[in-house]
Amino acid sequence: QQQVKQSPQSLIVQKGGISIINCAYENTAFDYFPWYQQFPGKGPALLIAIRPDVSEKKEGRFTISFNKSAKQFSLHIMDSQPGDSATYFCAAQPGGYNKLIFGAGTRLAVHP
Amino acid sequence: GAVVSQHPSWVICKSGTSVKIECRSLDFQATTMFWYRQFPKQSLMLMATSNEGSKATYEQGVEKDKFLINHASLTLSTLTVTSAHPEDSSFYICSAFSSDTGELFFGEGSRLTVL
């Protein structure tokens, strides 16, 4: 059972464009939603995270939009750069627990 | 920021042997660590939750006798793949929870290849 659904599976964006990755969840017990960036052969690194009490969080070029009623959240990468080319994972964490449930991942390629 | 170190970063072993992977939190104490497995071009699948001083909690479908987890101190958890077979070849990633910051930090991963 896939608890966190992520789309698209892959994404190609031109340099300077906006990259948008979407995730949806079913379990209303989730209360923490991080996004991770992973380069080949490396462990994932926390990019940005949000809790359900806010609808948007922005850090530099990265923005999370959160829709609690729709149980959806998305990552927007503004002014995408070739260095942003990586695999991005959304995740969700149940309240009271520390473990993360990951989405399937999105392979982003930013072309110069 | 906090650092989680994994060792070895890659290992090749013969079928039937056992391999131990270490996960250390370098500048914080981690009462809880997690072990993930990742196949090529796939997501991270949680294998088990490792709690300091107690038995690990395994996810459904993960063989506890196959993947031995020990969390003997607040800064070290180990994963031992026993009697490894080629199908155990994968990228194993640990993460450690910092109670100080409430964040999860991931290691760089360990690539296991079983011949």
Side-chain angles (χ1 to χ4, degrees):
Chain A
Q1 184 181 3
Q2 192 175 1
Q3 298 193 51
V4 180
K5 295 183 179 180
Q6 183 172 347
S7 63
Q9 191 173 40
S10 62
L11 180 62
I12 298 174
V13 174
Q14 291 298 120
K15 179 182 175 182
I18 302 173
S19 304
I20 302 174
I21 305 171
N22 301 299
C23 282
Y25 64 97
E26 291 294 326
N27 190 344
T28 55
F30 291 143
D31 69 352
Y32 176 68
F33 302 89
W35 284 89
Y36 285 85
Q37 179 189 57
Q38 186 180 32
F39 292 104
K42 300 293 185 181
L46 179 65
L47 202 57
I48 188 173
I50 198 168
R51 292 194 182 273
D53 53 348
V54 296
S55 60
E56 186 176 281
K57 183 175 182 180
K58 183 176 181 179
E59 290 183 1
R61 295 186 295 111
F62 302 94
T63 301
I64 298 180
S65 297
F66 187 83
N67 186 329
K68 188 175 181 178
S69 60
K71 291 186 281 188
Q72 296 175 346
F73 58 109
S74 60
L75 174 69
H76 294 231
I77 305 175
M78 312 300 287
D79 188 26
S80 299
Q81 299 297 312
D84 297 329
S85 298
T87 299
Y88 292 81
F89 293 96
C90 63
Q93 184 180 79
Y97 296 90
N98 300 326
K99 67 179 183 181
L100 289 173
I101 308 299
F102 282 86
T106 297
R107 295 166 65 90
L108 171 65
V110 181
H111 290 178
Chain B
V3 177
V4 175
S5 174
Q6 274 187 247
H7 179 79
S9 56
W10 59 271
V11 56
I12 301 173
C13 70
K14 292 182 178 180
S15 184
T17 60
S18 294
V19 174
K20 180 184 286 188
I21 301 170
E22 294 185 347
C23 178
R24 294 181 184 273
S25 56
L26 297 185
D27 56 1
F28 65 100
Q29 293 184 331
T31 55
T32 305
M33 291 185 174
F34 303 89
W35 287 95
Y36 290 84
R37 183 174 183 177
Q38 186 178 34
F39 290 107
K41 298 183 181 181
Q42 293 190 24
S43 187
L44 287 79
M45 299 300 296
L46 180 64
M47 298 175 65
T49 302
S50 171
N51 296 299
E52 187 268 336
S54 64
K55 291 183 178 180
T57 302
Y58 290 81
E59 295 298 305
Q60 191 173 8
V62 178
E63 299 176 61
K64 57 183 66 177
D65 294 331
K66 174 74 171 176
F67 299 99
L68 300 180
I69 292 173
N70 182 277
H71 194 155
S73 77
L74 287 171
T75 59
L76 174 65
S77 176
T78 60
L79 168 68
T80 301
V81 183
T82 63
S83 186
H85 291 283
E87 58 265 29
D88 298 323
S89 299
S90 188
F91 194 49
Y92 293 89
I93 306 172
C94 73
S95 68
F97 177 73
S98 171
S99 56
D100 291 338
T101 64
E103 288 182 68
L104 272 171
F105 297 95
F106 282 81
E108 287 292 282
S110 298
R111 182 162 303 284
L112 169 64
T113 301
V114 185
L115 302 178

